[in-house]
């Protein structure tokens, strides 16, 4: 009889581990000897509206988008802007659209928007009017001078107006205050949308229309 000791149980166990690895590999799962903890699943994606608050839109209005602040950037959300009855020339209609957008910007976000992280820095009570004599025809005059607004509020207004029927459609908007200051043409850039708190909308002075 051979005096070498028998190693019982070593190879059967090894075969079992190997078989398990083959089965896991066949299922598309990589076998591992180290437990992996990916942490808890995220509870909600910020800046993403997946539900509505049940409010019905106005019966008549102009579909539009306004830019709200979410975290440190600006995100567009859908709105419906009420328009007054009656015909108006292009300058009056532009001012009416701008006022409706301004009212939407200053309104409190809906409950669903708040839950998703949306907020606004535009204060209520601001009004907007059309050009004065000597202004370019697409000028919008705010009751609060643009230079007095916070960087977030100015970015919200510029990005909302420049992407709407309140502007000429070239990605810019001409804004001024109600005093005698010269109006300026503001642009909404990718940098402004990404960092409205630190990147103010670039602007250039405009001459009369």
């Amino acid at each position: 009889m051979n005096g070498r000791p028998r190693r019982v149980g070593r190879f059967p166990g090894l075969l079992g581990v190997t078989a398990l690895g083959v089965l896991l590999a066949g299922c598309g799962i990589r076998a591992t000897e180290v437990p992996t903890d990916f942490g808890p699943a995220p509870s909600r994606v910020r800046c993403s509206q997946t539900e509505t608050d049940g409010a019905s839109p106005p019966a008549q209005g102009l579909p539009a988008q306004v830019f709200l602040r979410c975290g440190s950037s600006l995100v567009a959300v859908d709105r419906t802007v009420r328009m007054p009855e009656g015909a108006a020339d292009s300058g009056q209609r532009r001012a009416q659209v701008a006022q409706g957008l301004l009212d939407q910007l200053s309104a409190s976000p809906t409950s669903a928007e708040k839950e998703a992280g949306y907020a606004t820095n535009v204060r209520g009570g601001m009004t907007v009017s059309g050009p004065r004599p000597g202004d370019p025809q697409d000028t919008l005059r705010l009751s609060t001078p643009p230079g007095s607004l916070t960087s977030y509020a100015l970015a919200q207004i510029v990005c909302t107006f420049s992407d709407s029927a309140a502007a000429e459609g070239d990605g810019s908007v001409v804004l001024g205050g109600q005093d005698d200051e010269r109006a300026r043409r503001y642009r909404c850039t990718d940098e402004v949308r990404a960092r409205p708190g630190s990147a103010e909308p670039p602007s250039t002075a405009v001459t009369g229309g």
Side-chain angles (χ1 to χ4, degrees), residues 34 46 50 63 65 180:
V34 181
R46 287 177 61 83
T50 58
Q65 287 188 324
D180 293 329

Side-chain angles (χ1 to χ4, degrees), residues 25-62:
C27 296
I29 303 175
R30 177 180 296 178
T32 176
E33 296 179 1
V34 181
T36 304
D37 183 10
F38 294 99
S43 58
R44 184 179 180 88
V45 178
R46 287 177 61 83
C47 306
S48 176
Q49 291 177 268
T50 58
E51 58 185 271
T52 61
D53 60 356
S56 58
Q60 293 182 346
L62 179 68

Side-chain angles (χ1 to χ4, degrees), residues 146 154 158 172-175 182-189 192 200-206:
L154 180 59
V158 168
S172 69
V173 61
V174 180
L175 297 177
R182 187 183 295 270
R184 300 184 66 85
R185 184 174 295 278
Y186 293 85
R187 293 188 177 277
C188 176
T189 64
V192 170
E200 292 191 356
S203 65
T204 55
V206 297

Side-chain angles (χ1 to χ4, degrees), residues 77-99:
V77 298
D78 294 329
R79 286 287 190 271
T80 302
V81 177
R82 293 179 181 273
M83 296 296 296
E85 298 291 338
D89 60 34
S90 59
Q92 290 176 327
R93 180 171 176 80
R94 184 179 291 113
Q96 290 171 353
V97 171
Q99 185 64 61

Side-chain angles (χ1 to χ4, degrees), residues 20 117 130 141 152 199:
L20 177 60
R141 293 270 177 181
Y152 276 111

Side-chain angles (χ1 to χ4, degrees), residues 9-209:
R10 178 179 177 181
F11 291 101
L14 180 59
L15 290 174
V17 172
T18 303
L20 177 60
V22 171
L23 288 175
L24 291 176
C27 296
I29 303 175
R30 177 180 296 178
T32 176
E33 296 179 1
V34 181
T36 304
D37 183 10
F38 294 99
S43 58
R44 184 179 180 88
V45 178
R46 287 177 61 83
C47 306
S48 176
Q49 291 177 268
T50 58
E51 58 185 271
T52 61
D53 60 356
S56 58
Q60 293 182 346
L62 179 68
Q65 287 188 324
V66 300
F67 281 84
L68 299 182
R69 179 172 60 82
C70 194
S72 59
S73 61
L74 298 183
V75 181
V77 298
D78 294 329
R79 286 287 190 271
T80 302
V81 177
R82 293 179 181 273
M83 296 296 296
E85 298 291 338
D89 60 34
S90 59
Q92 290 176 327
R93 180 171 176 80
R94 184 179 291 113
Q96 290 171 353
V97 171
Q99 185 64 61
L101 292 171
L102 200 59
D103 293 341
Q104 290 292 328
L105 283 172
S106 61
S108 178
T110 65
S111 57
E113 289 168 348
K114 288 180 180 178
E115 186 179 354
Y118 290 92
T120 183
N121 287 77
V122 179
R123 295 184 177 181
M126 196 183 311
T127 59
V128 58
S129 59
R132 297 187 310 209
D135 283 342
Q137 64 177 2
D138 57 341
T139 301
L140 296 170
R141 293 270 177 181
L142 301 174
S143 58
T144 301
S148 300
L149 297 170
T150 66
S151 58
Y152 276 111
L154 180 59
Q156 283 185 251
I157 293 172
V158 168
C159 290
T160 297
F161 284 3
S162 64
D163 193 38
S164 73
E168 290 294 322
D170 62 351
S172 69
V173 61
V174 180
L175 297 177
Q178 294 296 336
D179 54 16
D180 293 329
E181 71 175 6
R182 187 183 295 270
R184 300 184 66 85
R185 184 174 295 278
Y186 293 85
R187 293 188 177 277
C188 176
T189 64
D190 291 340
E191 185 178 7
V192 170
R193 287 190 290 268
R195 295 191 301 274
S198 57
E200 292 191 356
S203 65
T204 55
V206 297
T207 58

Side-chain angles (χ1 to χ4, degrees), residues 1-6:
M1 182 174 180
N2 196 326
R4 296 174 60 184
R6 296 180 60 188

